[in-house]
Amino acid sequence: MMYLAAEKAQDPLLPVWPEIVIGLICFGIVFFVFSKKLLPVINKTLDERREAIEGGIEKAEAAQTEAQSVLEQYKAQLAEARHEAARLRQEAQEQGAVIIQEMKAEGQRQREEIIAAGHAQIEADRKAASSALRQDVGKLATDLAGKLVGESLQDHARQSGTVDRFLDELEAKAEATR
């Protein structure tokens, strides 16, 4: 029988009750220690991590919202700057056109003044040339007439009247033939 009892004690499939009781008591002690000492620390650490992660997510969402707001402001400022640049470009073109018109008008005015001055100078030169020509033609005509008549026609009043009358007749004939 002993042999049977020894065989029974060695059967690995059948548990030994004192070992089961001791194992349960040790498990209970370890479970009690873990639940009272270690489990609160683990839960506290997990709660802190969860709060940190949730806080980080909230901060990230706030930062993303702020970044989106700054981006919208930047886009609005950029659009405003482009609009301002287009307006300034348009103003510069308009001012350039006004300046070109003013310069053209000034050039036209100066051209007209130069032409008028030229016409006045030509008229003055023509009158001076006509006067000098009259005097020269008059002198030549009186000298020639004096040689033909045989006496001197040096009387200036008579000479001037004769020359003027002769030249006036020539001008009248020239105008009549035109």
Side-chain angles (χ1 to χ4, degrees):
M1 269 209 321
M2 268 218 239
Y3 181 73
L4 271 180
E7 245 184 49
K8 244 184 184 185
Q10 290 185 359
D11 190 11
L13 294 176
L14 294 176
V16 180
W17 284 106
E19 289 179 6
I20 291 177
V21 171
I22 291 175
L24 283 175
I25 291 173
C26 288
F27 179 75
I29 292 172
V30 169
F31 183 77
F32 179 76
V33 169
F34 276 166
S35 68
K36 294 296 179 188
K37 299 279 183 185
L38 194 57
L39 194 58
V41 173
I42 292 173
N43 284 337
K44 181 180 175 188
T45 304
L46 289 176
D47 289 341
E48 288 174 357
R49 281 189 180 176
R50 185 178 63 244
E51 288 175 7
I53 290 171
E54 288 174 357
I57 290 172
E58 290 173 1
K59 287 179 185 177
E61 288 174 353
Q64 185 176 7
T65 304
E66 184 179 348
Q68 188 67 25
S69 172
V70 169
L71 178 64
E72 292 299 321
Q73 289 176 351
Y74 170 74
K75 285 181 180 179
Q77 288 175 349
L78 184 61
E80 184 179 329
R82 285 182 179 157
H83 179 69
E84 181 69 17
R87 185 186 63 79
L88 290 175
R89 206 173 23 250
Q90 181 66 28
E91 284 181 9
Q93 288 175 348
E94 290 171 0
Q95 289 175 353
V98 167
I99 290 171
I100 288 172
Q101 287 296 85
E102 289 174 356
M103 296 302 281
K104 283 181 180 179
E106 179 66 20
Q108 184 70 18
R109 185 190 61 78
Q110 288 177 356
R111 183 178 75 89
E112 294 297 327
E113 286 178 2
I114 291 170
I115 289 172
H119 284 303
Q121 184 65 37
I122 290 172
E123 185 62 27
D125 289 345
R126 187 186 67 75
K127 286 182 181 179
S130 174
S131 175
L133 186 60
R134 277 182 177 245
Q135 288 176 358
D136 289 343
V137 168
K139 183 166 177 29
L140 288 174
T142 55
D143 288 344
L144 183 60
K147 286 181 183 178
L148 288 174
V149 172
E151 65 181 67
S152 176
L153 300 173
Q154 294 299 326
D155 183 14
H156 184 61
R158 233 192 317 165
Q159 176 184 358
S160 178
T162 305
V163 169
D164 285 339
R165 187 174 25 89
F166 175 71
L167 289 176
D168 287 339
E169 287 175 10
L170 281 178
E171 284 180 5
K173 286 181 183 178
E175 287 180 14
T177 58
R178 285 189 193 170

